C-alpha cells in the first residue's frame, strides 16, 4: 500500500512529523517526488501499473525494502521508515477495530514480566495421521492471571485486619522471590459458617 500511495500521490492517511510548514518537506507533493526519486535510485520503480513488474516484485517484502533504504541518506531513510511505520500502525489499528488482527503467538505463562500459573486441565488426541502417526492434541489450560496491584492493595485495606498473618509476604519459588497477598477465607465444609 505504501508504494501505491507514493505512486498515486493521494494524501497520506497518517500525519508525519517531517511534512508541513517549516519541515524538511513543506508539502506532500515534494515528499512524494523526493521519495520516488530516492527509491528509483535503489532500484524500486513506482511508475508502473503492472503488479508483477520485476522492480516491485523484488522489493515486495518489508525486509527487502528495509535493506534497500539503508543505501539512502539517513534523513531519507528515516522519513521512509517513519512513513512505513505510520502506515503499518494505522493498518494494525484498523484491523484491531474490525476484530481481524492476529498478534501471532502469545506466551501464556508471563504477563507484564510476572509469571502466571498455567495448569493443564485435560489433554485429548483429536486426530492421528494414519500414515505418519502424527497427532493433533487438544489441550485445555487454566491460567491464573492473579490480580492487579491496585486490587491487591484494596483487598489488603478491607480484609487484612481480620486474621493475624494476613498481608503481603514474599514467597520463594525456584530461587526467586515473588510478592503474594495472604488473606484468610471462610473454612470449607463448615456448614454453620455459611449463614
Amino acid at each position: 500500500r505504501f508504494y501505491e500511495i507514493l505512486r498515486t500521490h493521494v494524501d497520506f492517511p497518517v500525519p508525519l512529523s517531517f511534512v508541513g510548514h517549516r519541515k524538511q518537506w513543506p508539502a506532500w507533493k515534494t515528499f512524494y517526488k523526493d521519495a520516488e526519486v530516492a527509491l528509483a535510485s535503489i532500484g524500486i520503480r513506482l511508475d508502473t501499473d503492472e503488479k508483477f513488474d520485476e522492480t516491485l516484485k523484488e522489493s515486495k517484502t518489508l525486509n527487502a525494502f528495509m535493506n534497500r533504504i539503508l543505501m539512502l541518506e539517513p534523513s531519507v531513510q528515516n522519513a521512509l521508515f517513519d512513513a512505513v511505520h505510520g502506515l503499518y500502525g494505522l493498518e494494525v489499528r484498523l484491523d484491531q477495530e474490525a476484530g481481524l488482527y492476529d498478534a501471532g503467538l502469545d506466551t501464556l505463562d508471563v504477563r507484564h514480566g510476572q509469571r502466571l500459573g498455567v495448569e493443564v486441565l485435560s489433554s485429548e488426541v483429536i486426530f492421528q495421521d494414519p500414515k505418519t502417526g502424527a497427532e493433533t492434541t487438544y489441550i485445555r489450560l487454566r491460567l491464573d492471571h492473579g490480580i492487579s496491584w491496585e486490587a491487591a492493595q484494596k483487598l489488603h485495606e478491607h480484609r487484612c485486619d481480620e486474621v493475624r498473618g494476613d498481608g503481603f509476604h514474599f514467597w520463594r519459588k525456584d530461587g526467586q522471590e515473588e510478592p503474594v497477598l495472604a488473606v484468610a477465607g471462610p473454612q470449607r465444609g463448615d456448614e454453620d459458617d455459611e449463614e
Side-chain angles (χ1 to χ4, degrees):
R1 182 166 177 216
F2 177 65
Y3 294 144
E4 180 185 336
I5 291 171
L6 290 178
R7 190 167 40 93
T8 58
H9 293 237
V10 298
D11 285 340
F12 207 77
V14 293
L16 297 173
S17 63
F18 49 82
V19 176
H21 184 65
R22 293 187 167 186
K23 305 283 174 104
Q24 185 174 358
W25 286 276
W28 289 110
K29 186 176 183 178
T30 54
F31 170 68
Y32 289 155
K33 184 174 174 25
D34 288 353
E36 191 171 346
V37 169
L39 291 172
S41 75
I42 56 173
I44 300 173
R45 280 190 26 235
L46 303 174
D47 61 352
T48 178
D49 285 327
E50 188 175 324
K51 290 183 180 176
F52 298 106
D53 179 75
E54 287 301 311
T55 61
L56 287 178
K57 182 180 177 186
E58 198 174 308
S59 299
K60 210 65 160 160
T61 68
L62 188 59
N63 286 344
F65 172 78
M66 294 301 193
N67 284 332
R68 284 192 180 198
I69 68 170
L70 290 174
M71 294 185 277
L72 300 172
E73 294 178 32
S75 62
V76 177
Q77 283 179 27
N78 291 338
L80 291 172
F81 176 79
D82 287 350
V84 169
H85 183 263
L87 186 61
Y88 176 77
L90 173 68
E91 294 293 328
V92 167
R93 186 174 51 81
L94 293 174
D95 283 352
Q96 286 172 331
E97 289 171 2
L100 303 172
Y101 184 71
D102 180 1
L105 296 175
D106 196 10
T107 302
L108 296 178
D109 65 345
V110 177
R111 181 176 179 200
H112 305 296
Q114 296 293 319
R115 306 268 320 155
L116 302 178
V118 179
E119 179 184 349
V120 176
L121 296 179
S122 63
S123 178
E124 174 187 355
V125 175
I126 57 174
F127 176 77
Q128 184 172 17
D129 185 279
K131 292 181 183 176
T132 66
E135 296 178 343
T136 301
T137 306
Y138 169 73
I139 301 173
R140 185 171 179 201
L141 304 173
R142 178 185 319 199
L143 301 179
D144 178 2
H145 292 282
I147 61 174
S148 70
W149 181 251
E150 292 78 17
Q153 285 179 315
K154 197 176 278 187
L155 182 60
H156 179 266
E157 290 170 12
H158 295 292
R159 294 279 313 276
C160 286
D161 289 338
E162 297 175 12
V163 177
R164 186 178 164 181
D166 280 2
F168 289 102
H169 301 276
F170 280 100
W171 179 44
R172 287 190 180 149
K173 182 179 179 186
D174 300 330
Q176 295 183 353
E177 288 187 349
E178 296 181 15
V180 295
L181 175 60
V183 179
Q187 290 183 343
R188 297 180 192 260
D190 240 350
E191 300 295 329
D192 300 333
D193 291 341
E194 289 185 18
E195 294 177 17

